[in-house]
Amino acid sequence: MKFVVDQQIEDIEMPENLKLNTFLQEFHSDCPHPECNFGFYGFAFGQSPFPVPKLIQEALVKNADKGAYAPISGIPELRNAISKYNKHYFGMDVSPERIHVGPGTKALIFNLLEILHGTVILPTPAWLGYLPQIRFLKKNYHMLPTRSNKKISPNNLRRLALRLHDRQKILILNNPNNPTGLLYDKLELEEISDVCREQNITVISDEIYAQTTYDFSKFVSMGKIYPEGTFVTNGLSKSHAAGGYRLGYVVFPQHAVDLKTQFKKILATEYTAVSTPIQHAAIAGFEISKDIEEYFEVTRNIHQIMGEYTYNALSSIEGVIATKPNATFYLLADFNHYATDLQKSEIFTSQKLSESLIVHPYHTAIVGGDSLVLERTDFSARIAYVDYDGSKVYQNYLNNKPKSASEKLEFVKNNAPKVVAGIEMITKFFENVKKTSLNLSQTQKNSMMTPS
Amino acid sequence: MKFVVDQQIEDIEMPENLKLNTFLQEFHSDCPHPECNFGFYGFAFGQSPFPVPKLIQEALVKNADKGAYAPISGIPELRNAISKYNKHYFGMDVSPERIHVGPGTKALIFNLLEILHGTVILPTPAWLGYLPQIRFLKKNYHMLPTRSNKKISPNNLRRLALRLHDRQKILILNNPNNPTGLLYDKLELEEISDVCREQNITVISDEIYAQTTYDFSKFVSMGKIYPEGTFVTNGLSKSHAAGGYRLGYVVFPQHAVDLKTQFKKILATEYTAVSTPIQHAAIAGFEISKDIEEYFEVTRNIHQIMGEYTYNALSSIEGVIATKPNATFYLLADFNHYATDLQKSEIFTSQKLSESLIVHPYHTAIVGGDSLVLERTDFSARIAYVDYDGSKVYQNYLNNKPKSASEKLEFVKNNAPKVVAGIEMITKFFENVKKTSLNLSQTQKNSMMTPS
């Protein structure tokens, strides 16, 4: 039997991170090089390496018997806890009525894009999950390339908004940012919100990395700066290393009661509610406690140490420009300095660069620029610095906190040898690309001198 | 700030079961009658009353630490277990590659309707969840009213299919059926599948109630009869009383490899994967074990006892016609005998009938006909017989299995007093409706005789 698939489904592509993951799984078991059984240095998959906080695990254990359907918007205890969490950590007064719980922020952002009419403004580079959603929903969208500092230019945002004639415009703000690891400060958010007010732009502020901000006092939520026009999404996945649990939440804008009703309909129509035991477990993650506070501190400190190492190591490769992360476990590395050399090795696209780095002898997995909604020929890549044993490293950090620069360097070398070795591989790769390029130029020159 | 919502969202309605549940929650805390603090007799909400099987709870406890993202289609161990489960219980050879796990069958059916092009054929009465999905996705659809026996007429299906000019037609088959509790036997399925082959109709066979079939040897999956054209959905919600866990699966038709790839894209775009700890827990539910087998037997026996009682008690009300359930925990009761009497009490729609039954002194919650995709003036209703303490009743059943008719009657009276009292309320309601109607006729006659 032949089945007919809706056209827009045929047209969308698999989200790049999952495509890559599938590719890596296949590659892992099948390196074509004889006698090579090494997998890869994993700079590609964006998952926190730490164990789920004990408190959350214990709460899940205690609530395994909760087999009944939960209310569509989430169980009241959880929404209360999230309300207090927002007050405590983000200084936001958000009543539980403004909070909806969903099976991950990805699903919630998808549902928001489903209900909100209008053109989407997507700053680039961007997390690899937004574009497939926008395309699948057949929404109008426009890219907004960021400035050289990789942040949104308020003026460019205004210029773009003035060109759009849709009744509603939706800006997807991702702060702290995946893939750059950069944090927008209060002033920057205020400048963006001024334009949003002026141009009537609705904001979906994906703040899933908020708690990973290295100097947490610097984090400011867009929900605080622009409360009347911002949907804030957050969840357990990154801060609580529980991506597999699948639980996120969205804070609705002030006075958006109408919209909440529409949103509930969608959730009820598509998936009823989030897993009840998982919701009960999540309460422990959002309740204020010394354990969770310590967990946030330790994990963000480790991310910072790994991030500084990765930034310094990549920046020390000739010509490589990297963003210096203030949060998350990513940075964006710009390898365009090698564009001409790469082309001489028949590497014309970022996709090809990723493929060239993953094969023997480099075995290094990165997320190439086109997956980050950059030009296919932009040799930038997202580098995730999480390829280490999170449980061990957490414990090692607690046992002996590195303070000085040299202690931190030692900590990375001892605890994340694959991160260190992977960056060495990247270094070696570009050295070889350069060498090949020089040799080719030499051969070319020689051949020009020796007529055939 | 004013937000613009997409038009199709405005147009769809909240799924009736969830609307009703919200209504009941509100009503529960606010009966306007003085000195009344009774809630309601719950014939409305379709949730298994039993505890989640111990084995599943224990497996969830053991896997609380699983914080990592799961593969899009489900973890391999789970898909293997589901494959063996299908072999053991349904006699189906389904390789794990044909199985996809999702956050409940509701979500999976939604995703299937998203990817499958074509016109939907919806037999009525129907589960209250399908229509909002179809409408939200703006799909073409046609109702297919069932025959007087409440089953699909193959001839009518053929006639309808011949009228449809879409390249693909999708029949939603729900077997065993919600709301009727009826089971399609092998011959009936073969007759339907003959039409489907002839007319090139794709089937989504929602078999979430398969394990509740009272005489389980009688259950036959459409996936066995029409393997090349059927998507079978099933899950933990009804058979394992774990609706709150949110885990279902779909078995893809034979040789539908292409489609699986399309489907994976959707899942990856919308929600990544199902909660990892929940997936691990589900393995215990699908693995063949004595414990789970006993659980299925006990729970389906109890459903049968309650169902027979409910059927007999409702059938003994003058003029009421009920379906005699072979499975599930529902039946369909037809109160149209009272249509004229109800109209005299200003009850013109099934919605109004539901509202009249829920208020003091009846306090009885049913799902009215329009929520089951019947005419608004069709006074039929779904009666769920699950308003009892499932844990206690399970234990009582094990301690002393009722065998004879009188033992079963005693069992219902002792274990499900709210079911008994609720049906008495329905009886009383219709007695009063009749009385009011007679009085009105009398008054009318008198007033006709006494000129004013």
Side-chain angles (χ1 to χ4, degrees), chain A residues 66-72 102-103 245-246 267-279, chain B residues 17-18 45-47 52 56 60 78 101-109 127 133 208 234-238 241-249 271 273-279 282 286:
Chain A
K66 300 293 189 295
Y69 296 98
I72 309 168
Y245 270 48
R246 309 309 305 131
L267 270 70
T269 299
E270 292 186 21
Y271 50 74
T272 313
V274 175
S275 179
T276 315
I278 296 293
Q279 291 201 43
Chain B
N17 54 342
L18 297 160
F45 204 47
Q47 177 156 252
V52 178
I56 299 182
L60 183 55
L78 175 58
V101 176
T105 50
K106 179 188 268 188
L108 288 168
I109 293 169
W127 172 57
Q133 295 194 344
I208 190 78
N234 203 337
L236 289 182
S237 296
K238 307 302 175 179
Y245 270 49
R246 307 311 303 131
L247 188 135
Y249 67 82
Y271 50 74
V274 174
S275 178
T276 314
I278 295 293
Q279 291 202 42
F286 292 117

Side-chain angles (χ1 to χ4, degrees), chain A residues 26-206:
Chain A
E26 281 162 14
F27 176 79
H28 183 59
S29 53
D30 195 25
C31 177
H33 198 81
E35 287 163 48
C36 177
N37 56 10
F38 182 70
F40 52 85
Y41 304 105
F43 294 115
F45 205 46
Q47 176 156 251
S48 173
F50 300 111
V52 178
K54 276 270 173 313
L55 276 181
I56 299 182
Q57 293 191 37
E58 286 162 10
L60 183 55
V61 165
K62 270 186 219 140
N63 289 284
D65 64 335
K66 300 293 189 295
Y69 296 98
I72 309 168
S73 302
I75 56 176
E77 306 91 301
L78 175 57
R79 290 160 72 206
N80 282 334
I82 293 171
S83 169
K84 287 180 188 155
Y85 178 84
N86 271 275
K87 177 79 183 163
H88 182 85
Y89 282 108
F90 310 131
M92 280 166 66
D93 278 309
V94 179
S95 71
E97 287 67 41
R98 278 173 61 194
I99 295 163
H100 284 250
V101 176
T105 49
K106 178 188 269 188
L108 289 167
I109 292 169
F110 184 79
N111 296 142
L112 287 173
L113 292 173
E114 271 180 316
I115 68 160
L116 291 171
H117 172 88
T119 301
V120 180
I121 299 172
L122 183 63
T124 60
W127 172 58
L128 15 79
Y130 304 125
L131 197 57
Q133 296 194 343
I134 295 166
R135 285 207 182 122
F136 176 52
L137 293 169
K138 295 195 238 173
K139 293 193 96 71
N140 293 330
Y141 66 95
H142 279 269
M143 314 295 193
L144 178 66
T146 51
R147 290 183 290 191
S148 60
N149 71 355
K150 303 298 168 198
K151 289 183 172 175
I152 296 166
S153 149
N155 281 336
N156 291 347
L157 175 61
R158 178 181 291 108
R159 243 171 258 138
L160 174 58
L162 284 168
R163 275 172 44 210
L164 303 175
H165 296 293
D166 219 324
R167 276 189 298 167
Q168 186 165 267
K169 300 151 200 91
I170 306 155
L171 171 68
I172 297 186
L173 180 71
N174 182 204
N175 183 42
N177 188 263
N178 170 7
T180 64
L182 297 177
L183 180 77
Y184 285 84
D185 66 26
K186 191 158 178 266
L187 186 66
E188 290 166 329
L189 293 177
E190 282 170 350
E191 285 173 354
I192 294 170
S193 72
D194 285 347
V195 178
C196 291
R197 278 200 187 88
E198 178 195 303
Q199 298 295 325
N200 202 26
I201 299 172
T202 298
V203 177
I204 297 177
S205 188
D206 178 355

Side-chain angles (χ1 to χ4, degrees), chain A residues 12-22 45-47 100-115 127-134 136-137 172 174 178 204-209 232-238 242-250 263 266-267 270-271 274 330 371 382, chain B residues 69-73 103 111 114 263-274:
Chain A
I12 65 161
E13 281 188 43
M14 178 73 96
E16 294 294 332
N17 54 342
L18 297 161
K19 201 159 76 179
L20 189 80
N21 205 37
T22 308
F45 205 46
Q47 176 156 251
H100 284 250
V101 176
T105 49
K106 178 188 269 188
L108 289 167
I109 292 169
F110 184 79
N111 296 142
L112 287 173
L113 292 173
E114 271 180 316
I115 68 160
W127 172 58
L128 15 79
Y130 304 125
L131 197 57
Q133 296 194 343
I134 295 166
F136 176 52
L137 293 169
I172 297 186
N174 182 204
N178 170 7
I204 297 177
S205 188
D206 178 355
E207 301 180 359
I208 191 77
Y209 293 98
V232 179
T233 60
N234 204 337
L236 288 182
S237 296
K238 308 302 177 181
Y245 270 48
R246 309 309 305 131
L247 188 136
Y249 67 83
V250 53
F263 198 70
I266 300 304
L267 270 70
E270 292 186 21
Y271 50 74
V274 175
Y330 311 110
S371 305
R382 187 187 80 174
Chain B
Y69 296 98
I72 309 168
S73 301
N111 296 142
E114 271 179 316
F263 198 70
K264 267 174 86 165
K265 286 199 306 198
I266 301 305
L267 271 71
T269 299
E270 291 186 22
Y271 50 74
T272 313
V274 174

Side-chain angles (χ1 to χ4, degrees), chain A residues 1-5, chain B residues 92 98 100 108-109 111-113 115-116 168-173 201-207 221-223 226-234 249-254 256-260 263:
Chain A
M1 186 151 173
K2 185 102 189 75
F3 298 95
V4 188
V5 171
Chain B
M92 280 166 66
R98 279 173 60 195
H100 283 249
L108 288 168
I109 293 169
N111 296 142
L112 287 173
L113 292 173
I115 69 159
L116 291 172
Q168 185 166 268
K169 299 149 200 95
I170 306 155
L171 172 68
I172 296 186
L173 179 72
I201 299 171
T202 299
V203 177
I204 296 177
S205 188
D206 178 355
E207 300 180 0
S221 172
M222 190 62 161
Y226 184 42
E228 74 276 30
T230 303
F231 296 80
V232 180
T233 61
N234 203 337
Y249 67 82
V250 53
V251 176
F252 272 68
Q254 280 175 334
V257 183
D258 231 42
L259 230 74
K260 271 171 42 204
F263 198 70

Side-chain angles (χ1 to χ4, degrees), chain A residues 214-232:
Chain A
Y214 305 152
D215 178 356
F216 185 69
S217 70
K218 296 238 173 86
F219 175 79
V220 180
S221 173
M222 190 62 161
K224 215 175 156 180
I225 305 291
Y226 184 42
E228 75 276 29
T230 303
F231 297 80
V232 179

